C-alpha cells in the first residue's frame, strides 16, 4: 500500500505561483492546498490538518509575521518552509523568524525557485518510512545549536562529490551525489546516501562547487541517509 500523500498548505499572494504549486503536487504524492489571503490562511491553519506549511515571508510584512506565529502556536510540530527573496539579509531574516517560530522546525527556500528544486527540498525535509511521515529535527535551521565559524546561508541544490575509501583492501575513489543544504565561504552541509567519516577529503565535481574540503562532522540520521559538514580547503 502506498503512503498517504503529504498534505501541504502554501500561503502566498502570487496566484501564478500557487497554481504552479498545485500542478507540481499532482502525480508526486503531494496534496498542495493554497491560500492567497491572510483570512483564508487562518481558516486553513485552524484545521491543522497539514504535514507541511509553505509561507511567503517578508520581514516588513506584519501579516506574514503574525501568520508564522499562529502556525507556531496552533501547529507547533508541523515544519514550515519559509519562501523568501534572495536579497534579504540572512542574519536579519534569521532573527525575525526565530522571534516568531519558537517551537517547531523551519527551513528557508530562496525565491525564485524551480518546481524540481521545491520537490527536492520536500524530499530533504521528509523521510518516508512505510506510511509514517516525519521531519527529523536534525534538518531544522538552528544556527545556535551548530558551532560554526561563519554564518551559513540555507541553499538547497543537488551536488556531485567524490572521496577515497578502502574497498576490499584497495583504496578506490567513490563517486556520489547528494543535496546541498547550506553554504558559506568556509563550508557547506550535505545530505547523501553514502556514509562519510570525519577527516575524509571530499572533492566536489559540480559546476556550482569546484573545490575540495575536509569532513568536519558526520551523523547518520537514519539507516541510509548521512548528514555531514564540510570545511573548504
Amino acid at each position: 500500500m502506498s503512503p498517504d500523500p503529504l498534505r501541504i498548505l502554501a500561503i502566498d499572494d502570487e496566484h501564478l505561483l500557487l497554481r504552479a504549486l498545485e500542478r507540481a503536487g499532482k502525480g508526486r504524492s503531494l496534496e498542495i492546498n493554497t491560500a492567497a489571503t491572510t483570512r483564508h490562511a487562518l481558516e486553513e491553519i485552524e484545521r491543522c490538518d497539514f504535514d507541511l506549511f509553505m509561507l511567503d515571508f517578508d520581514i516588513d510584512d506584519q501579516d506574514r509575521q503574525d501568520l508564522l506565529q499562529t502556525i507556531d502556536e496552533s501547529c507547533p510540530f508541523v515544519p514550515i518552509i519559509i519562501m523568501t527573496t534572495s536579497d534579504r539579509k540572512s542574519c536579519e531574516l534569521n532573527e525575525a523568524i526565530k522571534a516568531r517560530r519558537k517551537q517547531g522546525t523551519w527551513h528557508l527556500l530562496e525565491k525564485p525557485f524551480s518546481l524540481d528544486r521545491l520537490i527536492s527540498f520536500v524530499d530533504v525535509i521528509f523521510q518516508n518510512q512505510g506510511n509514517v511521515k516525519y521531519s527529523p529535527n536534525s534538518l531544522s535551521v538552528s544556527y545556535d545549536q551548530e558551532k560554526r565559524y561563519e554564518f551559513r546561508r540555507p541553499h538547497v541544490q543537488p551536488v556531485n562529490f567524490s572521496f577515497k575509501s578502502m574497498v576490499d583492501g584497495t583504496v578506490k575513489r567513490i563517486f556520489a551525489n547528494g543535496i546541498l543544504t547550506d553554504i558559506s565561504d568556509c563550508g557547506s552541509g550535505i545530505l547523501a546516501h553514502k556514509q562519510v567519516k570525519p577527516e575524509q577529503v571530499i572533492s566536489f565535481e559540480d559546476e556550482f562547487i569546484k573545490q575540495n574540503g575536509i569532513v568536519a562532522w558526520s551523523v547518520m540520521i537514519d539507516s541510509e541517509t548521512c548528514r555531514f559538514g564540510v570545511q573548504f580547503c
Side-chain angles (χ1 to χ4, degrees), residues 6-68:
L6 291 170
R7 289 181 50 80
I8 300 173
L9 176 62
I11 305 168
D12 200 307
D13 55 10
E14 296 183 29
H15 294 275
L16 289 177
L17 174 60
L18 293 182
R19 285 199 291 269
L21 292 175
E22 289 176 336
R23 291 195 299 269
K26 295 180 179 178
R28 290 186 171 95
S29 294
L30 301 176
E31 183 181 330
I32 301 180
N33 296 325
T34 60
T37 66
T38 299
R39 180 178 179 180
H40 186 191
L42 288 172
E43 292 173 353
E44 294 289 340
I45 292 170
E46 284 181 0
R47 292 163 46 199
C48 202
D49 189 28
F50 298 97
D51 302 302
L52 173 69
F53 291 102
M54 297 182 61
L55 174 64
D56 176 59
F57 192 84
D58 187 332
I59 58 177
D60 299 323
D61 189 329
Q62 188 64 42
D63 283 345
R64 288 294 187 261
Q65 295 189 48
D66 290 345
L67 280 175
L68 179 58

Side-chain angles (χ1 to χ4, degrees), residues 12 14 16-17 20-21 54 56-57 81-88 108-119 121 153-157 208:
D12 200 307
E14 296 183 29
L16 289 177
L17 174 60
L21 292 175
M54 297 182 61
D56 176 59
F57 192 84
I81 291 178
I82 305 292
M83 301 180 291
T84 180
T85 54
S86 59
D87 60 350
R88 287 290 172 193
L108 288 177
L109 178 61
E110 292 178 355
K111 284 185 173 184
F113 53 83
S114 67
L115 295 181
D116 287 339
R117 184 180 175 196
L118 169 64
I119 300 303
F121 203 112
R153 177 171 54 90
H155 186 103
V156 174
Q157 177 174 321
F208 182 71

